[in-house]
Coordinates of all heavy atoms in Angstrom, one line a residue:
M50 N -11.2 -8.8 -1.7 CA -11.3 -9.5 -3.0 C -10.1 -9.1 -3.9 O -9.5 -9.9 -4.6 CB -12.6 -9.1 -3.7 CG -12.7 -9.6 -5.1 SD -14.4 -9.4 -5.8 CE -14.5 -7.6 -5.7
K51 N -9.6 -7.9 -3.8 CA -8.5 -7.4 -4.7 C -7.2 -7.9 -4.3 O -6.3 -8.1 -5.1 CB -8.5 -5.9 -4.8 CG -9.8 -5.3 -5.4 CD -9.6 -3.8 -5.7 CE -9.3 -3.0 -4.5 NZ -9.0 -1.6 -4.7
G52 N -7.0 -7.9 -3.0 CA -5.7 -8.3 -2.5 C -4.6 -7.2 -2.4 O -3.5 -7.4 -2.0
G53 N -5.0 -6.0 -2.7 CA -4.1 -4.9 -2.6 C -4.7 -3.6 -3.1 O -5.8 -3.7 -3.8
A54 N -4.1 -2.5 -2.8 CA -4.7 -1.2 -3.2 C -3.6 -0.3 -3.7 O -3.7 0.9 -3.5 CB -5.5 -0.6 -2.1
A55 N -2.6 -0.8 -4.4 CA -1.5 0.0 -4.9 C -1.4 -0.1 -6.4 O -0.3 0.2 -6.9 CB -0.2 -0.5 -4.2
G56 N -2.5 -0.5 -7.0 CA -2.4 -0.6 -8.5 C -2.1 -2.0 -8.9 O -2.1 -2.9 -8.0
G57 N -1.7 -2.2 -10.1 CA -1.4 -3.6 -10.6 C -0.5 -3.6 -11.8 O -0.4 -2.6 -12.5
G58 N 0.1 -4.7 -12.0 CA 1.0 -4.8 -13.2 C 2.2 -3.9 -13.1 O 2.8 -3.7 -12.0
K59 N 2.5 -3.1 -14.1 CA 3.5 -2.1 -14.1 C 2.9 -0.7 -13.8 O 3.6 0.3 -13.9 CB 4.3 -2.1 -15.4 CG 5.1 -3.4 -15.6 CD 6.0 -3.4 -16.8 CE 6.8 -4.6 -16.9 NZ 7.7 -4.7 -18.1
A60 N 1.6 -0.7 -13.5 CA 1.0 0.6 -13.1 C 0.7 0.4 -11.6 O -0.5 0.4 -11.2 CB -0.3 0.8 -13.9
Q61 N 1.7 0.4 -10.8 CA 1.5 0.3 -9.3 C 2.5 1.1 -8.6 O 3.6 1.4 -9.1 CB 1.5 -1.2 -8.9 CG 2.8 -1.9 -9.1 CD 2.8 -3.3 -8.5 OE1 2.5 -3.5 -7.4 NE2 3.1 -4.3 -9.4
A62 N 2.1 1.5 -7.4 CA 3.0 2.3 -6.6 C 3.9 1.4 -5.7 O 3.5 0.4 -5.2 CB 2.1 3.2 -5.7
V63 N 5.1 1.8 -5.6 CA 6.1 1.1 -4.8 C 6.7 2.1 -3.8 O 6.8 3.3 -4.0 CB 7.2 0.5 -5.7 CG1 6.6 -0.7 -6.4 CG2 7.8 1.5 -6.6
P64 N 7.2 1.6 -2.6 CA 7.2 0.2 -2.2 C 5.7 -0.3 -1.8 O 5.0 0.3 -1.0 CB 8.0 0.2 -0.9 CG 8.0 1.6 -0.4 CD 7.8 2.5 -1.6
M65 N 5.3 -1.3 -2.5 CA 3.9 -1.7 -2.5 C 3.5 -2.3 -1.1 O 2.4 -1.9 -0.7 CB 3.7 -2.8 -3.6 CG 2.3 -3.3 -3.7 SD 2.1 -4.9 -2.8 CE 2.9 -6.0 -3.9
E66 N 4.4 -3.0 -0.5 CA 4.0 -3.6 0.8 C 3.8 -2.4 1.8 O 2.9 -2.5 2.7 CB 5.1 -4.5 1.3 CG 5.2 -5.8 0.5 CD 6.4 -5.6 -0.5 OE1 6.6 -4.5 -1.0 OE2 7.1 -6.6 -0.7
D67 N 4.6 -1.4 1.8 CA 4.5 -0.3 2.7 C 3.2 0.4 2.5 O 2.5 0.7 3.5 CB 5.7 0.7 2.6 CG 7.0 0.1 3.0 OD1 7.0 -1.1 3.3 OD2 7.9 0.9 3.2
L68 N 2.9 0.7 1.3 CA 1.6 1.4 1.0 C 0.4 0.6 1.4 O -0.5 1.2 1.9 CB 1.6 1.7 -0.5 CG 0.4 2.5 -1.0 CD1 0.4 3.9 -0.4 CD2 0.4 2.6 -2.5
N69 N 0.4 -0.7 1.2 CA -0.7 -1.5 1.5 C -0.9 -1.7 3.0 O -2.0 -1.9 3.5 CB -0.6 -2.9 0.9 CG -1.1 -2.8 -0.6 OD1 -2.0 -2.1 -0.9 ND2 -0.5 -3.6 -1.4
L70 N 0.2 -1.8 3.8 CA 0.1 -2.2 5.2 C 0.2 -1.0 6.2 O -0.7 -0.9 7.0 CB 1.2 -3.2 5.5 CG 1.1 -4.5 4.7 CD1 2.2 -5.4 5.0 CD2 -0.2 -5.2 5.1
H71 N 1.2 -0.2 6.2 CA 1.3 0.8 7.2 C 1.6 2.2 6.7 O 1.2 3.2 7.2 CB 2.5 0.4 8.2 CG 2.3 -0.9 8.9 ND1 1.3 -1.0 9.9 CD2 2.8 -2.1 8.7 CE1 1.3 -2.3 10.3 NE2 2.2 -2.9 9.6
F72 N 2.3 2.3 5.6 CA 2.7 3.5 5.0 C 3.3 4.5 6.0 O 4.4 4.1 6.6 CB 1.5 4.2 4.3 CG 1.8 5.1 3.2 CD1 2.8 4.7 2.3 CD2 1.1 6.2 2.9 CE1 3.1 5.5 1.2 CE2 1.3 7.0 1.8 CZ 2.4 6.7 1.0
T73 N 2.8 5.6 6.2 CA 3.4 6.5 7.2 C 2.7 6.4 8.6 O 3.0 7.2 9.5 CB 3.2 8.0 6.8 OG1 1.8 8.3 6.6 CG2 4.0 8.2 5.5
G74 N 1.8 5.4 8.8 CA 1.2 5.2 10.1 C 0.0 6.1 10.4 O -0.5 6.1 11.5
D75 N -0.4 6.9 9.5 CA -1.5 7.9 9.8 C -2.8 7.2 10.1 O -3.5 7.7 11.1 CB -1.7 8.9 8.6 CG -0.5 9.8 8.4 OD1 0.3 9.8 9.3 OD2 -0.5 10.6 7.4
F76 N -3.2 6.2 9.4 CA -4.4 5.5 9.7 C -4.4 5.0 11.1 O -5.4 5.1 11.8 CB -4.7 4.4 8.7 CG -5.7 4.7 7.6 CD1 -5.5 4.3 6.3 CD2 -6.8 5.4 7.9 CE1 -6.4 4.6 5.3 CE2 -7.7 5.8 6.9 CZ -7.5 5.4 5.6
H77 N -3.3 4.4 11.5 CA -3.2 3.8 12.8 C -3.3 4.9 13.9 O -3.9 4.7 15.0 CB -2.0 2.9 12.9 CG -1.9 1.9 11.9 ND1 -2.6 0.7 11.9 CD2 -1.2 1.8 10.7 CE1 -2.3 0.0 10.8 NE2 -1.5 0.7 10.1
A78 N -2.6 6.0 13.6 CA -2.6 7.0 14.6 C -4.0 7.6 14.8 O -4.5 7.9 15.9 CB -1.6 8.1 14.2

């Protein structure tokens, strides 16, 4: 429903796509 989990507006973490999709790969590992 939210479409992302990196915050919103100018209160968000960047790089946003990295954080939302793969980041450091820990979840996948």
Side-chain angles (χ1 to χ4, degrees):
M50 177 170 59
K51 296 191 299 176
K59 293 186 177 179
Q61 60 177 307
V63 289
M65 183 262 286
E66 296 98 323
D67 290 12
L68 181 65
N69 277 328
L70 296 177
H71 299 288
F72 207 37
T73 58
D75 288 354
F76 258 140
H77 304 282

